[in-house]
Amino acid sequence: MLDLLLRDVRALTMREDRPRAHTVGVLGGHIVGVDEEVEGVSARRVVDGGGAVLTPGFADAHNHMVWFGLSLAEMDLSTCRTLDEVYDAVAERAARLPSDAWVIGSQYDDFVLGGHPDRAALDRAGGGRPVWLKHRSAHMCVVSSAILDKAGILDDSAVVPEGGVVERDASGEPTGLLAEQAQQLVDALVKPYPVEELVEAIARASEVYVAEGLTHVTEAGVAGGWIGHSPAEAAAYQLARQRGKLNVRVELMPATETLHPLTDELVGLDLGVRSGFGDDFLRIGPMKIFTDGALSSKTAAVTQPFEGDGGVGVLGDDPEVLRNRILAAHRGGWRVAAHAIGDRAIDLTLEAFERAQRECPRPGVRHRIEHAAMVRPDHLPRLAALDVVPVPQARFLYEIGDTMRASLGEARIPWLYRHRSFLDAGLRVPGSSDRPCVGTGAPLAGMRNMVERTTSGGVVLAEDERVDAMEALRAYTTHAAYAACLEDRRGRIEAGMQADLVLLGDDPTTVAPSAMDKIRVLATFVAGEVVHGGESLTYVR
């Protein structure tokens, strides 16, 4: 007897040999067959889909789940259109807090505001309280004088980490703007977060994710650096799962700062833990290594200067240190997820991957380049030769495409967040959001951006890189499974696959692109169990 039978559905199986099905059977958390393969088999639960569309569960190959969950409890500054609106929001929040409490906000956009918030204005709006406002790129933040003082920046006692930038005005005074690794100076004042606080953040994020059809996400950096929130961050995920508050499968990327020597030649985590450790619900993924910054902050490492200021960005550390870090992780049995946005950072990353494979061959390892934002034509065959997985975020084209266009100039736009060129080179492109950085992380919105590639200002960026709706769906299903080295377990509707499924109100491959992100997620199943939308299902028995 089956645990679940879904009938009268329009299933997009993502299988080339059998692209459509109408009945799906589930037993023990796995799909056992479709249509005639389960014909006549009884089931404990039978759901009549009423002709709704069924797809494999969506996956986000690069997100920051804890960070997003924490941001849900912070001021949302994404709707602010002027600096005065930011200051008003700070003042309103501060008025409800104790005199020594921190005022924390997220998602401000200097491009929209016409500049970054002013330190002195934050001092006034916050009534002298510590004020910490995070840029939508997550690669910058602005803080008030109280935080600059606590961090040792005002008296110059702070040691700015390599790859960090503390902005100063013409007189040498800190403006309050901190970029890249310099944000660790603020992090050190608030971290580690209590594990219980992280558990609740995970729970909040999980509820949003399953409502959007997500069944698997990759947490892009835990336990170290400026992206980690606690050395025990993995324990927070474990506790959330034990308490029934984690409804999606999660792959954790440890930050490179968590690595330490195991032998004279190897670095890793204690007990030899490395990529792949764990189970189908919570496992260790690649090692996260930053090689540069971001385009919106002009801290991405580029070969040719940005428009306007003539800067070429920053590398995350000394180039040889970064290369050796990648090589050490590779030798230690890790898959590597290198954050590389600018073309200079991608040059360095590819050099390191090529050297690693020469000195310690590991066929099929599937290292990744997170973001892979500025890929020159000469990079494409090198990526293909190494079978590197590029992980771009199409949503960025809409949210900050106009900013990036102004920073790069027209000549470099064809390199920007490629998709079709990657596929033509034989690479797989997973869907991802980088949430909460930049904007919404809803998969259906990401699919629309892959198809349209239009900025919020209405400009199409690199039209030749567009893909069709089926390819966009494949990015969030089969290609995301490939990026996680789990294509044998998820991403398709067929016997033996995990029963992670999404029931949709319409077909994303046939509606107009402008309607893709408006499709309703009716229900989400993980391992055959309903984690969202149970009240809307029609049970026959």
Side-chain angles (χ1 to χ4, degrees):
M1 178 177 284
L2 301 175
D3 293 328
L4 173 67
L5 186 72
L6 291 162
R7 74 182 194 191
D8 191 18
V9 295
R10 291 179 288 157
L12 305 178
T13 66
M14 310 310 294
R15 296 168 55 183
E16 292 185 5
D17 62 329
R18 188 172 194 162
R20 306 273 174 168
H22 300 284
T23 305
V24 178
V26 175
L27 178 65
H30 290 76
I31 297 167
V32 296
V34 301
D35 292 348
E36 78 283 351
E37 297 168 343
V38 292
E39 186 176 353
V41 181
S42 60
R44 294 181 180 86
R45 293 170 293 153
V46 178
V47 172
D48 190 319
V53 173
L54 189 74
T55 74
F58 301 147
D60 189 329
H62 183 118
N63 93 116
H64 302 278
M65 189 172 184
V66 165
W67 194 350
F68 174 61
L70 290 170
S71 74
L72 294 175
E74 299 170 352
M75 287 188 301
D76 180 4
L77 303 175
S78 63
T79 60
C80 293
R81 293 294 176 263
T82 67
L83 287 169
D84 283 340
E85 288 181 16
V86 172
Y87 303 142
D88 289 345
V90 170
E92 181 182 350
R93 178 62 67 95
R96 294 186 275 114
L97 295 173
S99 60
D100 60 346
W102 285 49
V103 182
I104 304 176
S106 304
Q107 296 292 318
Y108 85 84
D109 187 341
D110 64 303
F111 186 76
V112 172
L113 300 175
H116 295 280
D118 177 70
R119 165 188 156 195
L122 292 183
D123 293 345
R124 291 191 295 272
R129 293 172 181 80
V131 181
W132 181 17
L133 305 184
K134 305 169 187 177
H135 191 264
R136 69 184 308 185
S137 71
H139 286 261
M140 298 181 286
C141 67
V142 174
V143 297
S144 64
S145 298
I147 294 179
L148 292 176
D149 185 37
K150 290 175 183 289
I153 295 173
L154 291 183
D155 64 6
D156 290 326
S157 63
V159 177
V160 180
E162 185 74 29
V165 178
V166 175
E167 185 184 77
R168 297 178 182 274
D169 61 21
S171 65
E173 283 295 307
T175 65
L177 180 65
L178 308 177
E180 303 303 336
Q181 300 297 331
Q183 295 180 100
Q184 290 194 46
L185 299 173
V186 183
D187 290 344
L189 302 175
V190 297
K191 295 179 180 178
Y193 283 79
V195 169
E196 289 295 335
E197 189 173 338
L198 300 184
V199 170
E200 291 307 311
I202 291 167
R204 287 192 294 268
S206 182
E207 289 182 5
V208 174
Y209 287 4
V210 295
E212 296 173 345
L214 285 165
T215 60
H216 174 267
V217 300
T218 296
E219 167 66 91
V222 296
W226 61 269
I227 50 172
H229 296 86
S230 166
E233 207 159 348
Y237 275 96
Q238 187 176 13
L239 281 172
R241 180 185 174 192
Q242 289 173 350
R243 295 174 184 175
K245 295 184 175 184
L246 179 63
N247 292 322
V248 295
R249 304 179 194 268
V250 180
E251 180 180 56
L252 301 173
M253 285 186 190
T256 186
E257 289 83 359
T258 62
L259 285 175
H260 54 265
L262 298 176
T263 68
D264 290 340
E265 296 184 353
L266 297 180
V267 296
L269 299 180
D270 292 331
L271 303 176
V273 171
R274 60 183 182 179
S275 301
F277 182 84
D279 60 26
D280 283 338
F281 276 86
L282 187 60
R283 67 199 297 266
I284 300 296
M287 178 63 62
K288 175 73 175 290
I289 297 176
F290 277 92
T291 68
D292 72 341
L295 287 175
S296 56
S297 58
K298 294 187 177 180
T299 52
V302 294
T303 53
Q304 298 298 317
F306 288 107
E307 297 290 315
D309 63 4
V312 292
V314 294
L315 290 171
D317 210 323
D318 178 83
E320 195 57 27
V321 169
L322 292 172
R323 293 187 190 96
N324 288 335
R325 195 171 289 162
I326 292 172
L327 181 59
H330 174 90
R331 283 176 172 164
W334 287 89
R335 291 163 55 217
V336 173
H339 167 116
I341 287 182
D343 61 325
R344 180 159 57 102
I346 293 172
D347 283 336
L348 182 150
T349 301
L350 288 175
E351 290 166 8
F353 285 164
E354 289 163 345
R355 176 184 168 192
Q357 290 288 28
R358 284 196 306 271
E359 297 183 7
C360 180
R362 290 177 58 199
V365 64
R366 291 186 203 168
H367 292 319
R368 301 164 43 135
I369 295 184
E370 308 304 302
H371 310 299
M374 293 180 61
V375 175
R376 300 191 309 263
D378 61 293
H379 289 149
L380 291 167
R382 297 170 68 189
L383 288 163
L386 292 164
D387 192 22
V388 169
V389 178
V391 189
Q393 289 74 41
R395 183 66 186 176
F396 285 13
L397 298 171
Y398 176 81
E399 296 283 359
I400 56 173
D402 294 310
T403 308
M404 294 189 293
R405 182 169 171 244
S407 297
L408 296 177
E410 293 299 326
R412 288 181 283 191
I413 294 303
W415 308 351
L416 195 60
Y417 289 97
R418 293 178 183 268
H419 197 148
R420 171 51 58 190
S421 293
F422 289 143
L423 298 176
D424 290 346
L427 301 169
R428 318 283 181 95
V429 183
S432 68
S433 68
D434 202 19
R435 181 167 30 193
C437 303
V438 178
T440 179
L444 288 165
M447 292 180 207
R448 174 180 175 177
N449 300 135
M450 291 175 176
V451 174
E452 292 185 331
R453 294 185 63 90
T454 303
T455 73
S456 58
V459 178
V460 176
L461 297 179
E463 184 175 4
D464 290 346
E465 294 295 338
R466 284 174 163 173
V467 296
D468 64 24
M470 180 56 77
E471 191 58 56
L473 178 60
R474 191 172 289 117
Y476 279 92
T477 54
T478 57
H479 288 181
Y482 182 87
C485 296
L486 294 171
E487 69 273 20
D488 61 335
R489 303 185 210 179
R490 62 173 67 118
R492 301 187 305 280
I493 297 177
E494 67 175 301
M497 294 286 133
Q498 293 166 353
D500 299 348
L501 304 162
V502 183
L503 197 64
L504 301 172
D506 212 333
D507 186 341
T509 68
T510 60
V511 300
S514 60
M516 293 177 74
D517 57 343
K518 299 175 183 64
I519 294 174
R520 184 183 169 200
V521 176
L522 303 176
T524 305
F525 301 81
V526 174
E529 297 296 327
V530 182
V531 293
H532 166 73
E535 70 285 348
S536 68
L537 296 176
T538 300
Y539 288 93
V540 179
R541 62 176 180 276

